[in-house]
Amino acid sequence: MTADLIERVRDRLASSGAEITSTVVADAVREEAGGVVGHADVLEAMRLLEQEFVGAGLLAPLLRDETTTDVLVTGPDQVWVDGAGGLRRTDTRFPDEDSVRRLAQRLALSCGRRLDDAQPFVDAWLPASPLGRIRLHAVLPPIAADGTCLSLRILRPAAHDLSTLESLGTFDAIAHAVLAAIVEARLAFLISGGTGSGKTTLLAAMLGRVPAHERIVCVEDAGELQPDHPQFVRLVARPANVEGAGEVTLSDLVRQGLRMRPDRLVVGEVRGAEVCDLLAALNTGHDGGAGTVHANSPAEVPARMEALAALGGLTRDALHSQLSAALHIVLHMRREPDGSRRLVQIGVLDRIVGGVRVLPAWQPGGWLPAQADLADALAARGVRPPW
């Protein structure tokens, strides 16, 4: 099989507009070769071309690995995966830069988005897949100076319970009891941490402890949460289409969720102006709400919330006033160098002159000064501290 023949077959398939199947690929190879081609050559061409026209191509085996969270391509011979063992380089290789570019453009097209010289980057969700939801990000040269960069993030359903997370070493028995008590007391909480630190997994596990007679309405940017709960209602945001219409934001969904008789309102990830709607909701009788937020440490959560609230036009003083009244607990997750996820701090929000701070109450290995504040918060809701 010559490169010229493969290119002619590729052009024929791309211009045909027909569904790409094994039969279609084999027929195209025979027609472009003039009918004189061996079975081995046909099979080789089918293998090469199906990688370009079907699914995620060369990256499909990497995505099927249940331990993989991210697949990152920074060049034809630079394919990396992130997962349980941390970031590592794979043996997967693309033939050339054009192969990476074609795959990125085809995946973007499957999302209903364009990716070309006029629009050299894309951020979108791939169509539903048994693998889970996959977020696509791609950048073309010359914006990506060294060649097409392709990033695929696999958002697998978060369905672990607290007992499973304890067995995995995410936290110890004491923290397990405290987390269960927080849910029982209907204390509103935020889970902070970096990307891939296990925030959503912990949130799903805690929601699984909510009593079955309570109705949970959850607003998400991506459908990750799947707690073991009989009354879990999920609303998922929608980006604008290629014409720029049809967007449904998290703020829109928070307002809609309030009309659905929630016992607990949850925002899968607080990342923008929706924080204003969430705090307003939690200050109007909706106890036990929850969410996740990106932050480097619990101490930085108030500043992070300030920045997000500013996007919704909420002043610093107003934000701190609402934050101190609406939220009680901050749980901080961290991803360790070996890829494991750990709960590294339980903190209590405290109102001070000029703002709000997070007081550390627990960390692996022992209690911290705000243990008494945590006990008071639980006792105020009629729940005996579990220590």
Side-chain angles (χ1 to χ4, degrees):
M1 296 299 294
T2 65
D4 179 64
L5 176 56
I6 291 291
E7 188 64 32
R8 294 203 310 272
V9 175
R10 181 186 293 121
D11 292 341
R12 173 184 285 269
L13 293 172
S15 62
S16 69
E19 180 182 358
I20 305 300
T21 65
S22 297
T23 301
V24 169
V25 174
D27 290 344
V29 171
R30 290 191 175 95
E31 290 174 8
E32 288 297 331
V36 182
V37 62
H39 293 303
D41 289 336
V42 172
L43 291 174
E44 176 65 11
M46 289 172 61
R47 184 185 67 80
L48 293 173
L49 293 164
E50 284 182 345
Q51 288 174 353
E52 292 196 20
F53 287 95
V54 180
L58 284 172
L59 305 182
L62 305 178
L63 296 171
R64 283 195 291 268
D65 185 341
E66 293 186 356
T67 65
T68 297
T69 59
D70 297 86
V71 176
L72 311 170
V73 182
T74 54
D77 60 347
Q78 292 276 336
V79 181
W80 300 75
V81 295
D82 195 7
L87 189 64
R88 63 180 178 83
R89 187 172 177 178
T90 73
D91 295 329
T92 301
R93 300 288 187 272
F94 285 85
D96 49 37
E97 159 63 19
D98 285 343
S99 300
V100 182
R101 182 186 179 103
R102 283 193 296 268
L103 176 59
Q105 290 179 313
R106 179 169 61 76
L107 292 177
L109 184 61
S110 71
C111 303
R113 307 290 288 275
R114 59 180 290 189
L115 181 63
D116 51 33
D117 291 339
Q119 179 60 48
F121 51 83
V122 66
D123 185 8
W125 294 98
L126 294 177
S129 163
L131 301 172
R133 295 208 71 197
I134 299 177
R135 185 168 190 167
L136 162 71
H137 185 270
V139 186
L140 299 181
I143 305 302
D146 297 322
T148 301
C149 289
L150 177 61
S151 304
L152 297 173
R153 179 133 202 243
I154 308 99
L155 303 178
R156 306 188 190 278
H160 287 319
D161 59 19
L162 290 178
S163 296
T164 301
L165 293 183
E166 181 186 347
S167 68
L168 292 172
T170 304
F171 42 74
D172 60 20
I174 294 176
H176 183 166
V178 173
L179 295 176
I182 289 170
V183 175
E184 181 185 354
R186 295 180 62 87
L187 295 175
F189 61 91
L190 272 181
I191 302 175
S192 61
T195 299
S197 60
K199 302 186 298 297
T200 301
T201 300
L202 178 59
L203 177 57
M206 294 183 70
L207 294 179
R209 291 297 296 262
V210 172
H213 65 270
E214 295 185 18
R215 178 178 170 89
I216 305 171
V217 176
C218 177
V219 171
E220 290 187 89
D221 185 53
E224 293 182 81
L225 286 167
Q226 291 188 11
D228 182 15
H229 194 277
Q231 293 197 70
F232 182 75
V233 180
R234 183 171 56 198
L235 305 178
V236 180
R238 183 178 70 189
N241 60 21
V242 69
E243 288 85 19
E247 181 181 20
V248 179
T249 67
L250 291 177
S251 292
D252 296 331
L253 295 181
V254 170
R255 290 190 289 271
Q256 297 307 313
L258 289 172
R259 300 183 176 96
M260 299 174 69
R261 195 221 164 268
D263 289 300
R264 304 198 189 215
L265 184 66
V266 175
V267 175
E269 182 181 334
V270 180
R271 60 170 59 188
E274 68 276 358
V275 67
C276 302
D277 300 287
L278 175 63
L279 292 177
L282 297 181
N283 275 308
T284 55
H286 292 84
D287 293 333
T292 72
V293 65
H294 280 82
N296 294 325
S297 70
E300 295 180 19
V301 167
R304 174 66 172 155
M305 298 293 278
E306 283 179 30
L308 297 178
L311 299 175
L314 200 62
T315 65
R316 182 181 185 276
D317 290 342
L319 177 278
H320 281 273
S321 178
Q322 291 209 36
L323 188 61
S324 62
L327 290 169
H328 308 96
I329 305 294
V330 173
L331 311 170
H332 190 70
M333 295 289 295
R334 184 173 67 206
R335 183 176 181 182
E336 304 294 356
D338 63 0
S340 61
R341 280 82 171 172
R342 300 279 187 271
L343 175 65
V344 295
Q345 191 177 114
I346 298 176
V348 180
L349 267 81
D350 178 50
R351 183 70 186 266
I352 58 175
V353 176
V356 174
R357 62 180 177 177
V358 178
L359 301 175
W362 173 92
Q363 67 182 14
W367 293 102
L368 298 172
Q371 177 186 5
D373 298 271
L374 177 58
D376 291 343
L378 293 171
R381 297 298 184 97
V383 175
R384 183 177 178 179
W387 59 81

